[in-house]
Amino acid sequence: MRITSLDLSSFRSFRGLTLPTNTQKVIIGGANNSGKTSLREAVRWVLTGRCGVTDGRGVGADRLAPMGTEEVEGSVTLHGIGKVTRRKLGESTSFAVEGLKGDAGAQQHVVQD
């Protein structure tokens, strides 16, 4: 599974970031506290609903919202699958894979396989 793009509308310190990854390998570099780990965690959260600041069921995702907001949203475009989007606003969480039919659970299963 190859990631072709990462879009973060609101995730930790990122708002409105689009990162195209049109190559086989992408190296992320930067100073301490610049967001390298947040990028990795964003991909993990979008695809699985869990990351380093959540528990095994995804509880704690509210800590991923940028300061002063309640919304966490990101999407990852996967080659051959489509755009995967996860959004959390307050207590409500949504997950969708553009172009796939079925409920969120079935779509999540396709992404994780």
Side-chain angles (χ1 to χ4, degrees), residues 37-94:
T37 301
S38 289
L39 290 175
R40 182 191 67 209
E41 293 296 290
V43 171
R44 187 172 169 206
W45 181 76
V46 169
L47 297 179
T48 68
R50 297 179 298 278
C51 66
V53 302
T54 66
D55 69 7
R57 295 171 296 155
V59 175
D62 54 319
R63 292 181 283 177
L64 300 173
M67 204 66 145
T69 69
E70 292 184 19
E71 181 181 32
V72 182
E73 182 176 5
S75 60
V76 174
T77 304
L78 301 172
H79 178 73
I81 294 178
K83 186 174 186 178
V84 179
T85 302
R86 186 175 303 271
R87 181 176 189 249
K88 180 176 184 346
L89 180 59
E91 297 298 315
S92 174
T93 301
S94 63

